[in-house]
Amino acid sequence: MIKYNEKQLKCIMHPMAPLMIIAGAGTGKTATIIGRICYFIEQRKINPSNILALTFTVKAAENLKEKIVDIVGERGKDVYACNFHSFALEIILEYHEKLSYKSKPTVIEANESRYLLNQLINQNSSIFTSSEYRKRNSKALEGVEKIFNQISNELVPLDLLKKKVKILKEEQCRSEEDSQRLDAINLFFIYRKIKKENSWIDFGDMILNLSELLDDPVILLKIRDSFKHLVVDEFQDNNYALSRILEKISGVGGSITIVGDDDQSIYSFRGAHISGFHEFREFHDQSSQYNEITLNLNY
C-alpha cells in the first residue's frame, strides 16, 4: 500500500473541482495523480470510463493505466488514458463528416508531411512573393513549417488568415518578412485543400480540427458527458491551443486536475505555453472549490 504525505493526500481527496498541482521532479506527482484517479473510482464511485487522463507521450499514458489497474483492478482499464494527439484523433475519426472529410482521414507522419510540403514549394516557387523563398527551397520549407506550427499552436481562425492575406497583398512596400508570411499562408490553404480532398490529416490538423469540433455545442455536450473528469499531466508542456481545448471540455469550475512544474518546460522550443498556469487560475478561480497545492517534499 502506498503511503502518501499530507499534501499528496490533500490532492487526492480534493473535491471534483479544479485543482492545480505544482510538482517538480522527485515529488511523487505521478503517484499522486494515480492516487487521485483511484480515489475517484473507489471512494467517489466514479465510472472509470468517465475519466480522461491526458499525458504527452503514449508510454506515459500506458504506464499510468497499468498502475491504476494494479490498484483498482480490471475496471481501471476503462479509464481513457492517452496523449493529446491520440485523443484528438479519436474524436476526429468519430465526427470526420462534420469536418468535410469524404472518409475517415488517414494520418500522415511528420516525414510524409515534410515531403508533401517540399513538393508544393517546388510547384509554387515561381509565384512566391519572397525573393528568399524563390532562391532557396530549404529556406521556404523552414519558414512555412514555422508558420504552420504557429497557426496550429495558437488556433488562428481561418477567416483571420484570409484577412491577413488580403492586407498583405494590398501593401505597397511589403517587407521580405511579410512576403514570406504571405507565401506561407497561401501555401497553408493549398496544402489544407489537398489534405481534405485526400482525407489526410497531420499532427497540426488534429489540434485545429478538435478545437473546431468542440465549437459545435452538440458535440461538446456529448464529449463533456463522456469525460466528466479530466486529469492532465506535464501541464507545463501545454501550448495555447491545448489550454483552450481543455477549457472547452471542462468548462468553468469543472472536474479538472492539472499537474506540472511551472519552473520548467522541456518543450518550449515547440511553443509550450508556460503562462498556461496563470490562465488556468484565472479561468477557474471563480469556482468556490478551486485550489492550488504545491508538492515540495522531494523523494
Side-chain angles (χ1 to χ4, degrees), residues 36-47:
R36 180 159 171 76
I37 291 171
C38 293
Y39 189 83
F40 273 8
I41 296 169
E42 294 187 310
Q43 303 301 320
R44 299 194 184 277
K45 308 304 179 186
I46 298 299
N47 186 334

Side-chain angles (χ1 to χ4, degrees), residues 76-87:
K77 291 181 178 179
D78 291 333
V79 172
Y80 198 95
C82 58
N83 65 7
F84 270 100
H85 286 95
S86 297
F87 172 67

Side-chain angles (χ1 to χ4, degrees), residues 240-284:
Y240 174 84
L242 298 179
S243 291
R244 300 291 78 76
I245 286 169
L246 290 172
E247 288 177 359
K248 290 177 183 180
I249 298 173
S250 73
V252 177
S255 178
I256 178 170
T257 301
I258 64 165
V259 188
D261 183 354
D262 61 352
D263 287 332
Q264 183 179 6
S265 175
I266 63 170
Y267 289 118
S268 58
F269 65 95
R270 292 186 188 171
H273 191 55
I274 200 65
S275 62
F277 288 95
H278 175 68
E279 291 172 0
F280 183 88
R281 181 183 299 116
E282 284 196 329
F283 187 76
H284 290 287

Side-chain angles (χ1 to χ4, degrees), residues 24-280:
T27 56
K29 69 179 184 67
T30 302
T32 303
I33 59 175
I34 289 170
R36 180 159 171 76
I37 291 171
C38 293
Y39 189 83
F40 273 8
I41 296 169
E42 294 187 310
Q43 303 301 320
R44 299 194 184 277
K45 308 304 179 186
I46 298 299
N47 186 334
S49 65
N50 290 145
I51 300 172
L52 173 62
L54 293 170
T55 68
F56 273 81
T57 67
V58 173
K59 187 176 179 180
E62 290 173 347
N63 180 58
L64 193 72
K65 200 162 187 174
E66 285 173 8
K67 290 183 177 178
I68 292 169
V69 171
D70 287 342
I71 297 172
V72 304
E74 289 297 300
R75 55 186 171 158
K77 291 181 178 179
D78 291 333
V79 172
Y80 198 95
C82 58
N83 65 7
F84 270 100
H85 286 95
S86 297
F87 172 67
L89 181 60
E90 187 78 20
I91 303 300
I92 290 163
L93 291 176
E94 183 175 353
Y95 297 104
H96 68 278
E97 291 178 350
K98 293 279 186 181
L99 295 163
S100 302
Y101 288 105
K102 296 173 184 176
S103 59
K104 287 188 176 182
T106 302
V107 177
I108 53 176
E109 299 294 334
N111 60 333
E112 295 173 302
S113 174
R114 199 160 226 257
Y115 174 76
L116 287 170
L117 278 178
N118 204 39
Q119 280 191 318
L120 285 176
I121 289 168
N122 286 331
Q123 293 165 5
N124 292 274
S125 59
S126 61
I127 58 171
F128 282 162
T129 61
S130 161
S131 58
E132 287 293 322
Y133 281 7
R134 285 198 304 272
K135 286 188 290 187
R136 294 170 55 204
N137 282 9
S138 59
K139 173 81 171 177
L141 182 61
E142 181 184 342
V144 165
E145 286 185 320
K146 184 177 179 180
I147 292 291
F148 283 17
N149 287 333
Q150 186 179 6
I151 290 170
S152 171
N153 292 340
E154 298 180 13
L155 293 178
V156 181
L158 296 182
D159 58 347
L160 187 62
L161 286 176
K162 290 174 182 176
K163 287 178 183 176
K164 185 66 176 176
V165 166
K166 186 179 179 182
I167 291 169
L168 290 172
K169 281 183 176 178
E170 291 173 351
E171 285 185 358
Q172 295 297 320
C173 299
R174 191 168 48 240
S175 67
E176 171 61 24
E177 185 179 350
D178 280 342
S179 290
Q180 291 179 9
R181 191 173 288 113
L182 174 61
D183 293 337
I185 297 173
N186 279 329
L187 206 64
F188 173 83
F189 282 108
I190 295 171
Y191 185 42
R192 183 173 180 271
K193 184 173 182 289
I194 290 171
K195 286 184 291 183
K196 279 288 177 76
E197 288 173 347
N198 290 278
S199 289
W200 293 334
I201 185 172
D202 62 21
F203 289 102
D205 294 325
M206 290 182 196
I207 302 306
L208 287 171
N209 288 342
L210 176 59
S211 180
E212 183 180 337
L213 286 172
L214 293 175
D215 287 334
D216 184 315
V218 175
I219 294 174
L220 177 59
L221 189 61
K222 286 182 180 178
I223 292 173
R224 281 181 172 176
D225 191 52
S226 295
F227 305 112
K228 296 181 172 71
H229 310 278
L230 278 66
V231 177
V232 185
D233 195 10
E234 304 294 356
F235 187 78
Q236 76 276 358
D237 296 326
N238 250 1
N239 58 35
Y240 174 84
L242 298 179
S243 291
R244 300 291 78 76
I245 286 169
L246 290 172
E247 288 177 359
K248 290 177 183 180
I249 298 173
S250 73
V252 177
S255 178
I256 178 170
T257 301
I258 64 165
V259 188
D261 183 354
D262 61 352
D263 287 332
Q264 183 179 6
S265 175
I266 63 170
Y267 289 118
S268 58
F269 65 95
R270 292 186 188 171
H273 191 55
I274 200 65
S275 62
F277 288 95
H278 175 68
E279 291 172 0
F280 183 88

